[in-house]
Amino acid sequence: MAFLDLEKLETGLSMFNIALSKEQIEQLDVFAESLYKWNRVYNLTAIRNSDEILTHHILDSLSLVTHLKKLKRGERYSVLDVGSGGGLPAIPLAICVPECQVHMIDAVAKKVAFLRQMVVSLKLVNATAFHGRVESYIANQYDVITSRAFSSLPQFYNLTQSLLKPSGFWLAMKGQLPCEELSELDRLSLKHEVYSVDVPFLDEKRHLVRFYK
């Protein structure tokens, strides 16, 4: 028996114009159930039931998938998700966009343990989890750097600017429109675009900020 309401999930996928295989839908369901079970011990999220995991986590993360596909036009690319926590949006992204290579980093060891377990149990050959602080992370540069409730936009930029390719961009998931933070990006001479995001079945404000040098 599925953990998520699969009819509701498939409706959300249709609204985002995302087509997934049966295996990918099963992976999302297993991930959601694992997040719920691990959360009892590891406190990965404040969300406590399957319906809110679907809306606030899975479908919310899939809104980023839609924008990534639109912006990158199906190309292969590398993504670094900063402060991945319970794997959001990184795990849904790795599941739904297998052509992208997703790296996740978090400073909390128990969260990284969960991420690594998900990589193994979901057989995500395109995902890797790292333990540590992003400011100490040494790696090749990425096409896209993402975050969800990680920090302010200026801090996100300052901590990760050395990790982005010259042609790359940042994607930050936000709730309310962060007007003051956007003004700070202007002061840093960073170009930015803001997208209002409608998450299916979620009556809350969501915005996606894309910025670049």
Side-chain angles (χ1 to χ4, degrees), residues 111-130:
K111 294 181 179 179
V112 176
F114 170 73
L115 297 175
R116 288 173 174 165
Q117 180 59 42
M118 288 300 93
V119 168
V120 172
S121 62
L122 297 174
K123 299 178 181 177
L124 295 175
V125 296
N126 62 327
T128 309
F130 298 93

Side-chain angles (χ1 to χ4, degrees), residues 29-164:
D29 190 58
V30 170
F31 167 63
E33 185 172 14
S34 299
L35 184 63
Y36 173 78
K37 288 179 177 178
W38 278 62
N39 194 51
R40 297 177 187 177
V41 178
Y42 287 89
N43 194 30
L44 300 170
T45 171
I47 300 299
R48 302 296 178 183
N49 64 69
S50 61
D51 197 53
E52 288 190 337
I53 287 176
L54 173 60
T55 55
H56 290 66
H57 289 335
I58 302 299
L59 291 176
D60 190 38
S61 294
L62 293 183
S63 68
L64 184 146
V65 172
T66 304
H67 280 271
L68 272 177
K69 283 190 170 184
K70 187 188 302 180
L71 293 168
K72 297 299 293 184
R73 298 175 184 174
E75 299 172 15
R76 289 187 173 274
Y77 51 94
S78 57
V79 175
L80 174 65
D81 186 46
V82 180
S84 291
L88 302 156
I91 297 293
L93 174 60
I95 291 171
C96 298
V97 194
E99 64 266 26
C100 77
Q101 188 67 40
V102 180
H103 285 181
M104 303 169 278
I105 185 166
D106 201 280
V108 181
K110 63 185 179 182
K111 294 181 179 179
V112 176
F114 170 73
L115 297 175
R116 288 173 174 165
Q117 180 59 42
M118 288 300 93
V119 168
V120 172
S121 62
L122 297 174
K123 299 178 181 177
L124 295 175
V125 296
N126 62 327
T128 309
F130 298 93
H131 176 227
R133 303 185 68 83
V134 68
E135 58 265 38
S136 304
Y137 182 58
I138 300 174
N140 294 327
Q141 293 183 316
Y142 294 86
D143 294 299
V144 184
I145 302 179
T146 63
S147 72
R148 181 178 187 256
F150 169 65
S151 70
S152 69
L153 296 174
Q155 184 180 22
F156 181 33
Y157 164 73
N158 287 328
L159 292 175
T160 61
Q161 58 177 310
S162 65
L163 298 171
L164 188 74

